[in-house]
Amino acid sequence: GSGQAFAEFSAGKAEDVSRALEAAEQGLAIWRDTAPAERCRILNCAAMLIGERAEYLSVLEALDSGKTLDEARGDVRSCARLFEYYAGAADKLEGRSIPLGKDLSCWTEREPVGVSAHIIPWNYPTSNFARGVAPALAAGCAVVAKPAETTPFTALVLAGWLGEAGVPAGVVNVVTGLGPDAGASLVRHPEVAHITFTGSVSTGVGVMQAAAPSVTRLTLELGGKSPLVALADSDVDKVVDGALWAIFSNAGQICSAGSRLVIDRKIHAEVLEKLVGKARALRLGHGLRHPDIGALNSHAHLERVHAHVEAARRRGRSILTGGNPAVDPETGKGWFYEPTIIDGLPRDDPAVQYEIFGPVLAVQIVEGEEEAAAIANGTEFGLVAGIYTRDIEKALRLARAINAGQVTINDYWAGGVEVPFGGNGKSGFGREKGLEGIEAYVRTKAITIRH
Ligand code: NAI
Ligand code: MG
């Protein structure tokens, strides 16, 4: 984020992936037969280690990713909490007995799927590692993780700590390297039983295709263009603070960011005046100096974000604030982007339809609940939605009508590890977090005895 090299990592190749998968097969043989209570104890120990060493990991993550130290601390807290939460699930993966009559006994067992591959993005390198790895380990699976090329540090550190906590050698493996190289070798490998992928739609489609010949199971989390819907009767100050948080946290590099403000015409002027004022006051800077917004993750990503905004400018769209790359005020360097608000966008505008993945808010003006629902649903995505209104009936109608994996009323994000998370449509499929998060890593076997 600062524009300076921070560390160097090996670019893993197909043979490194093969070695990691061989190790994982050996690790799996031990781990799947480790008593669930023991897996539970080990994962709790991992959660404790991460908690004790949280500040070290947070500083490392802030430096590696460009995010602010506070954001990195939040990421590390979720990471520890994910291990704690799934530790508690490890010894509760129970089957059921199925009555078939006097001569038969039938029950189900929930066995680990095998070796799972985790393709991890750069926006939440630490918690996204844990979001997949913790439930995989709870279920008795072994793991090969491929962190993003720009942020591999914490995955390597965490793999070491998991070993210290008692996870046997070979159970958790990390291969650093480029997506099209190490990542592609991993997802097409026939030894992989399940793939957890978080990233862009186009790469996700490629991963699905690569997985098809081996008929490998998948969980895909592909981002979105999530709406924060504000009806005419909503509390204007809550909308302003919610919108600010929903789009400018982590410099907008969040799959579930509230990147569209779907706002009723009656409160549009008041909300936008306050929102623009607060957006202009946000301070950009190096993550360790406690700014409001840190850097974007890479120069390539900065260019991608800016290209979206430049295209909107060429289309004559109304950019109320921001719209330019920026630098760290202390050093005059780095990959920052001004908090940006584009107003009055029509439904088919590319700034409404494509994930920009930066601090860029697309505003869509609507009249009434019905139009709000139609506009909220007017993209190919369906990940998250926030609904602001004081009318409980409208809130509940909208919550049901909006196509999303999770909806929050009078806030944007609420809840943590306990709440299942995932998308519909081009946002992907499968649910992570919550008890649902473990489903991807277990398969049901039915056993029947005739007697
Ligand atoms: P990407 O989807 O290409 O990369 C995500 C992960 O996939 C990285 O670990 C990468 O190394 C890996 N990868 C890339 N190509 C692969 C392949 N052929 N096989 C297996 N793994 C592969 O995303 P990228 O290029 O970093 O960012 C592009 C856009 O993707 C962003 O602007 C944003 O819109 C979206 N994105 C969404 C994320 C989310 O949380 N849903 C996270 C990161 C990016
Ligand atoms: Mg890519």
Side-chain angles (χ1 to χ4, degrees), residues 118-124 128 131 146-151 177-188 195 197-204 206-207 210 220-224 252-256 297-298 300-301 304-305 308 354-358 381 383 421 427:
H118 299 244
I119 304 288
I120 299 162
W122 41 262
N123 56 333
Y124 285 92
N128 273 5
R131 190 168 83 183
K146 207 298 284 172
E149 32 277 78
T150 54
T151 55
L178 300 175
D181 200 350
S185 308
L186 180 58
V187 297
R188 69 165 172 258
I195 300 164
F197 172 82
T198 303
S200 61
V201 176
S202 61
T203 304
V207 167
L220 295 180
E221 205 267 87
L222 307 180
Q253 303 165 117
I254 308 184
C255 46
S256 59
N297 183 251
S298 66
H301 188 56
R304 207 153 46 207
V305 169
H308 280 291
Y354 296 106
E355 182 175 56
I356 298 177
F357 220 64
F381 296 104
L383 191 54
F421 176 83
S427 293

Side-chain angles (χ1 to χ4, degrees), residues 236-252:
V236 163
D237 292 315
K238 279 194 189 151
V239 171
V240 170
D241 288 339
L244 208 68
W245 186 48
I247 186 60
F248 299 131
S249 300
N250 213 43

